[in-house]
Amino acid sequence: MDSEERTTNRSEQKSRKILRSLIRKQPWDLLLVIGTGVSAAVAPEIPALCSWRSCIEAVIEAAEQLEVLHPGDVAEFRKKVIKDRDLLVVAHDLIRKMSPRTGDTKPNFFQDCLMEVFDNLEQHIRNPVVLQSVLRLMERGTMVLTTNYDNLLEIFGQQQGKPMESLDLKDKDKVLQWARGHIKYGVLHIHGLYTDPCGMVLDHSGYKDVTQDPEVMEVLQNLYLTKSFLFVGCGETLHDQIFQALFLYTVKNKVDLEHYMLVVKENEDHFFKLQADMLLHGIKVVSYGDCFEYFPAYVQDLTAQICKQRSPDADRVDSTTLLGKEYFYNTIFISNKR
């Protein structure tokens, strides 16, 4: 795409209508769910950030280059990535294959492969527009969770002087603090973070401690009931077993909720079917355009419109304050007359 086409796309993007029910949300009423689309937009040179499948393929390639996986196993896992629908199982098996035969996940070669794949992420940030928008919302109280293993948002935020903190489901105390709004720049990685493979959640056993903890589940489900989730760069998040266990299948009366999902509208029939299906979950599907190039500018524009909304309390006059002022001025007036 040449510069002229980019300019045309950008102007078209700015003219797109945005749901008023969304832009009238206050930032602190939102919870951003960040998917691989955000990382793909920010660091397009790293294929592993684009999708689950790309990530696993990159890990297998790294394992082959580092010679930590038998050639026969490399070939077998490449077949599984193509054939298997449940990529979480493939990733889980891959970790096990590169771990000790005792069944322990530490030490293992999987972390070395991830380090190879995600090496020097900060040097690959090419389009920080989406991250800038996310930080702008976080400054105003928006909470953030992600299904991504990378920490691009935290890296960028730290570069901007923000006290970013990466959280995962293993740390109950931190999760509770975050869910209660006490960690302003906290990013909850529900799958874990690549820097700690032992904390990565890849199957049901990885999050059963969380789902069986009534205190944690209560605060997490309360977020889904009281916040408006805004899915950004998420493709298959609603099919994600962990997200389903934490939020989707454990919250009743979903049609009473008001969540939002930004998607590309490549196929009209598929898009409108998705819209109808997601409304059953209380999710309004919104198109940011018919190609991925529109995504960053749309997020930037959406953020700007949300952030310029005045708080309902800002225009509300407190009657007690007025009474107090009236009493104050009357007192002075009477005193002066005397």
Side-chain angles (χ1 to χ4, degrees):
M1 183 181 296
D2 58 31
S3 59
E4 185 176 348
E5 287 178 317
R6 288 194 184 97
T7 302
T8 302
N9 285 345
R10 197 173 293 116
S11 62
E12 289 176 357
Q13 174 63 18
K14 289 183 178 179
S15 67
R16 293 187 66 82
K17 291 286 187 180
I18 300 177
L19 294 180
R20 289 190 177 273
S21 63
L22 175 54
I23 61 177
R24 286 179 176 174
K25 297 289 182 185
Q26 295 298 326
W28 53 84
D29 291 328
L30 295 172
L31 190 153
L32 290 185
V33 181
I34 294 177
T36 55
V38 171
S39 298
V42 172
E45 296 176 1
I46 304 181
L49 297 177
C50 297
S51 68
W52 251 108
R53 191 176 304 278
S54 298
C55 180
I56 297 174
E57 288 174 342
V59 169
I60 294 171
E61 183 176 352
E64 182 180 36
Q65 293 174 349
L66 294 173
E67 298 183 319
V68 296
L69 198 61
H70 189 280
D73 292 325
V74 169
E76 186 63 29
F77 275 109
R78 281 179 172 151
K79 290 178 183 177
K80 286 185 176 182
V81 171
I82 297 173
K83 294 180 180 179
D84 288 18
R85 298 184 65 181
D86 195 339
L87 294 176
L88 282 173
V89 173
V90 177
H92 180 263
D93 292 344
L94 189 58
I95 287 181
R96 290 295 180 188
K97 197 67 179 179
M98 290 190 280
S99 302
R101 294 178 182 176
T102 56
D104 298 327
T105 56
K106 190 175 182 179
N108 63 56
F109 286 119
F110 189 73
Q111 182 172 14
D112 295 284
C113 294
L114 285 176
M115 293 293 185
E116 187 73 16
V117 171
F118 295 125
D119 186 41
N120 298 320
L121 278 178
E122 64 277 4
Q123 297 180 12
H124 296 280
I125 295 177
R126 295 289 179 266
N127 187 7
V129 169
V130 177
L131 298 183
Q132 289 168 343
S133 299
V134 173
L135 286 180
R136 188 177 178 188
L137 289 169
M138 292 182 80
E139 288 173 354
R140 292 161 175 77
T142 299
M143 301 174 69
V144 175
L145 73 78
T146 180
T147 57
N148 297 345
Y149 290 127
D150 66 81
N151 57 349
L152 276 171
L153 176 58
E154 292 94 310
I155 290 173
F156 183 75
Q158 288 167 355
Q159 291 175 347
Q160 310 307 307
K162 307 299 182 185
M164 307 299 292
E165 188 169 354
S166 300
L167 314 170
D168 63 45
L169 294 173
K170 291 188 306 177
D171 193 332
K172 175 181 175 178
D173 291 338
K174 287 287 188 180
V175 171
L176 291 176
Q177 289 180 46
W178 172 83
R180 290 166 179 158
H182 300 320
I183 305 180
K184 183 175 182 179
Y185 289 100
V187 180
L188 179 62
H189 292 256
I190 64 172
H191 285 157
L193 198 61
Y194 82 93
T195 52
D196 181 19
C198 298
M200 292 172 64
V201 182
L202 295 168
D203 60 9
H204 289 287
S205 64
Y207 57 84
K208 67 180 180 181
D209 291 339
V210 177
T211 56
Q212 292 174 4
D213 189 315
E215 185 178 14
V216 173
M217 288 302 292
E218 181 180 0
V219 296
L220 290 178
Q221 289 166 18
N222 187 57
L223 290 174
Y224 202 64
L225 289 169
T226 59
K227 299 280 187 182
S228 283
F229 279 42
L230 176 56
F231 297 88
V232 182
C234 299
E236 300 295 325
T237 299
L238 294 183
H239 301 297
D240 184 285
Q241 296 176 354
I242 301 167
F243 188 85
Q244 290 174 347
L246 294 177
F247 302 105
L248 206 58
Y249 289 163
T250 50
V251 175
K252 298 179 180 179
N253 302 319
K254 299 180 184 64
V255 292
D256 297 329
L257 306 178
E258 190 171 48
H259 303 305
Y260 301 86
M261 175 180 284
L262 306 185
V263 303
V264 62
K265 187 176 69 174
E266 294 178 316
N267 179 284
E268 286 195 343
D269 291 339
H270 179 268
F271 171 76
F272 288 110
K273 182 180 185 305
L274 181 65
Q275 262 192 345
D277 292 344
M278 288 300 99
L279 277 178
L280 297 174
H281 296 285
I283 299 172
K284 295 180 177 179
V285 174
V286 181
S287 167
Y288 58 76
D290 57 10
C291 65
F292 185 63
E293 282 72 19
Y294 291 137
F295 176 65
Y298 185 94
V299 173
Q300 185 180 42
D301 186 29
L302 172 62
T303 299
Q305 294 198 47
I306 290 174
C307 291
K308 75 178 181 182
Q309 297 296 315
R310 287 175 62 83
S311 167
D313 296 330
D315 298 320
R316 186 182 302 153
V317 180
D318 191 333
S319 59
T320 58
T321 302
L322 281 177
L323 286 173
K325 288 180 179 178
E326 183 179 355
Y327 175 79
F328 175 74
Y329 290 125
N330 284 342
T331 302
I332 293 177
F333 176 74
I334 293 171
S335 176
N336 288 338
K337 285 190 69 175
R338 290 178 181 172

